[in-house]
Amino acid sequence: MAEPWRLLDTGLRNAAENMALDEVILTARDQGLVPNTLRFLQFRPKCVLIGYHQAVDLEVREDFCLNRGIEINRRITGGGALYWDEKQLGWEIFAGRELISSLGDVERVYRILSKGLVEGLGSLGIKAAFRSRNDIEVNGRKISGLGGAEKGGAFLFQGTLLVDFDVETMFRCLRVPAEKLIDKELSSARERVTSVTAELGFTPPMDKIKQAVAAGFSRALGIKFQTGNLTGAEEHQFDLRSAEFSSRKWVYGVKKSALHGGELRSLYKAPGGIIRVSLLVDIPGRRIKYALISGDFFAYPQRAVYDLEALLKNCRFQDLERTVQGFFAQANVKIPGITWADVNEAIQRAIKRSEKVEWGFSPEEANSITEVSEREASDTNGMLFLLPYCAKKTSCSWRQKQGCVECGECSVGEAYSLARSRGMIPVCINNYEELKEVLSSYQQTGCTGYVGCCCEPFYAKHQQDFAEIGLPGVLIDIENVTCYELGKLDEAKLGKFDRQTQLKLPLIEKVLDWLELKAQESGVGENRCG
Amino acid sequence: MRVNQWLFPDQLWYSKEHLWLSIEEQIATVGLTDYAQHSKGDILYVGLPRPGDEVFRGDTAVSIETGKWVGRICSPATGIIVDVNQPLTAKPQVVNADPYGEGWLIRIQLAPCGETVELLRGEKFRSWFEEQLAMESSLE
């Protein structure tokens, strides 16, 4: 008869202790000192755990965590950063490699070993399933994330089980896509995850959940458990190695440039609605780390978007088009008015912003810059510099007029001065019709480009119009609440929008420097307006 | 030699941990086999030791991450790390694309009396590897 597995419950421990135990038990299993083991673990205090190869500064909002006593540590397993509180149950399998031969295909291993948790959840009344690449989901919503590590002849396969979930704290701890943390983004995140409590409508006692999960693994893997404790050798190693796992060297030892992190966004208007994309990208690795796709469209089946996001984890840029197209074909996805090509285009636009980051813009700056039309604007001398009326003071007598007296009381005057210092022609714009007229008339005089400031929703609404005008340009987002965000478009059209926006002057200057540098590098001639 | 779709150049030695070794004048160049890179999937990160580090047979020498799986690759021999393939930290996908060429991992100056793990080649390797594949498929 096969040797029984050890059922180990190490209870509530801090992050460093739990991480040290991962290493100690994995090593002991590799050395043949302990049997295969199922371990349950929980965390107190709350903590953020980054993946083995991740850098803290790129993944974690350290100030927020430190101010709230949320610990930060590093796992010995791979994957992304996770937030843990007491409402989550960790489960881990430590086993010899013979269980799954030489590990084979990693996804196959995930699929086989996930059966234990799926069975366990089933006995609690929750119908869960493994989802490629490394989740367990319920109706498309994630309930458990999976990860693993191997060492010598042993491996560790682990997962979280969301018994309950505090989305807001997680978002504030981690640098995940949703920088602004607005209600819409939080509710969008809530739609993507579920928990035992959400599924059942109540929270079963933790012991009952553990029993169900252990029984699930027992059935799925055909094994028997014997309740056990850490061995003397494990306790000894734990005492020896605990300090290492709370050291700065362990937690902060990995340093990476900002190119390996950062969130890139896009907003794309397809016939069926707006598609919003937020990506975490590894720019040197040319891959998506995490994708969030939302918008005012309806997908059938509803879970399709979440499944696509799961599939896009670690997708290389070069494989994106094929992956999106294949997913739409295979999953029989229907989104009225939106094709796979629209979704691909929305994601590609976010990826394209990585070029700006490589040029030296921060990801946040890159998200504020949009290039219009295929031919890039270059030499700024003689270009138009378009400024929105809403950045003028609400009491300004020039608010609805094209000019500016440069009184120094708003950012428009400074922008006028900046434009002239670069040989550009500043023009204030009051609405889209005026913008079209200005661009058309200057285009006829031989002007070959513009730099403009507007809000993202304005561009999204008129992206097709901008493309049709055909003049290459660079648009820079404005700050503060716009008429679009407040739903005051009609008032704005009538000249009655009573808020003032701000121009991002430092970014505008940086963009102008960038354009001039690009022009010099490519030897572009002058783009003078007539 | 080919076993199923995987290539195993005849001139190399292979360990049961799916590493290949090329040993010349007491320096072993070590990498992942075609099978190992394929079965692990897209390699996202490679963590390398520093040249000059002393390694013992069985000690962790290299870490590799694929998806959410971290594999710590143990040194197949005792010695000193004399060279590492540093470009892999920026372009880890090279291990997938060219495991026996530009995807090599480390070079070890073998200790004079240092032991290596069991190394196989030729028919002996084929027979062991086919046995492994059969075991793996029986678990499906």
Side-chain angles (χ1 to χ4, degrees), chain A residues 266-271 273-279 288 291-294 297-299 304-305 308-309 312 320-321 323-325 327-328 333-351:
Chain A
S266 73
L267 188 145
Y268 176 75
K269 190 184 173 198
I274 296 277
I275 305 171
R276 290 176 187 276
V277 172
S278 290
L279 303 178
I288 295 167
L292 192 73
I293 303 165
S294 59
F297 53 80
F298 295 97
V305 172
L308 176 61
E309 289 170 354
L312 291 176
L320 176 66
E321 185 174 331
T323 304
V324 175
Q325 188 176 17
F327 175 77
F328 268 69
V333 179
K334 298 271 184 295
I335 307 178
I338 291 178
T339 64
W340 72 266
D342 292 319
V343 175
N344 176 57
E345 177 63 25
I347 302 170
Q348 297 285 7
R349 285 184 181 210
I351 289 174

Side-chain angles (χ1 to χ4, degrees), chain A residues 23 26 52-53 77-79 99-102 104-106 108 110 134 146-150 256 287 314 316, chain B residues 17-18 35 39-40 42-45 47 63-65 67-72 74 93 132 135-136 139-140:
Chain A
E23 177 68 20
L26 183 62
Y52 184 72
H53 288 105
T77 54
L99 178 71
I100 46 170
S101 179
S102 51
D105 175 296
V106 170
R108 185 170 147 269
Y110 274 54
N134 37 37
L146 310 169
E150 60 178 298
K256 288 188 175 174
R287 69 185 176 90
N314 296 317
R316 294 195 189 286
Chain B
E17 289 74 36
H18 300 285
Y35 168 78
S39 60
K40 288 179 193 305
D42 274 358
I43 292 171
L44 307 173
Y45 298 103
S63 63
I64 279 184
E65 183 167 341
K68 285 189 173 180
W69 194 275
V70 171
R72 282 183 281 177
C74 296
Q93 61 270 33
Q132 293 298 305
M135 203 159 87
E136 200 178 294
L139 285 159
E140 195 53 277

Side-chain angles (χ1 to χ4, degrees), chain A residues 417-458:
Chain A
S417 160
L418 176 64
R420 273 201 301 276
S421 73
R422 306 279 181 138
M424 300 175 80
I425 304 161
V427 181
C428 267
I429 300 293
N430 291 298
N431 51 49
Y432 172 69
E433 289 70 25
E434 197 173 288
L435 170 73
K436 194 175 174 185
E437 198 181 303
V438 167
L439 289 180
S440 301
S441 67
Y442 275 90
Q443 193 171 19
Q444 282 166 17
T445 65
C447 180
T448 56
Y450 61 90
V451 173
C453 298
C454 70
C455 63
E456 200 177 26
F458 178 84

Side-chain angles (χ1 to χ4, degrees), chain A residues 169-323:
Chain A
T169 306
M170 181 203 76
F171 267 54
R172 294 192 189 283
C173 288
L174 306 180
R175 295 191 185 281
V176 291
E179 202 62 52
K180 294 174 189 165
L181 298 171
I182 56 176
D183 286 350
K184 206 180 194 178
E185 287 169 331
L186 288 174
S187 72
S188 179
R190 274 190 206 103
E191 286 167 12
R192 284 157 169 77
V193 290
T194 189
S195 64
V196 172
T197 303
E199 291 300 316
L200 297 178
F202 66 96
T203 309
M206 197 60 99
D207 280 347
K208 191 179 172 195
I209 298 173
K210 289 174 184 172
Q211 278 169 19
V213 173
F217 277 106
S218 178
R219 282 194 301 276
L221 301 177
I223 53 173
K224 289 206 180 307
F225 287 112
Q226 195 164 32
T227 303
N229 295 308
L230 292 170
T231 64
E234 284 171 322
E235 293 277 14
H236 179 63
Q237 282 300 315
F238 175 69
D239 291 341
L240 285 178
R241 301 199 61 183
S242 288
E244 178 190 331
F245 285 87
S246 54
S247 68
R248 278 194 73 81
K249 189 180 170 196
W250 170 252
V251 179
Y252 292 89
V254 175
K255 301 280 177 206
K256 288 188 175 174
S257 84
L259 292 176
H260 291 277
E263 178 189 354
L264 298 178
R265 295 189 293 269
S266 73
L267 188 145
Y268 176 75
K269 190 184 173 198
I274 296 277
I275 305 171
R276 290 176 187 276
V277 172
S278 290
L279 303 178
L280 286 184
V281 291
D282 174 359
I283 296 174
R286 324 296 307 163
R287 69 185 176 90
I288 295 167
K289 290 159 72 177
Y290 185 86
L292 192 73
I293 303 165
S294 59
D296 56 1
F297 53 80
F298 295 97
Y300 305 97
Q302 200 179 358
R303 57 177 290 168
V305 172
Y306 313 148
D307 289 344
L308 176 61
E309 289 170 354
L311 198 62
L312 291 176
K313 271 183 207 164
N314 296 317
C315 178
R316 294 195 189 286
F317 295 168
Q318 68 194 52
D319 298 331
L320 176 66
E321 185 174 331
R322 186 168 45 81
T323 304

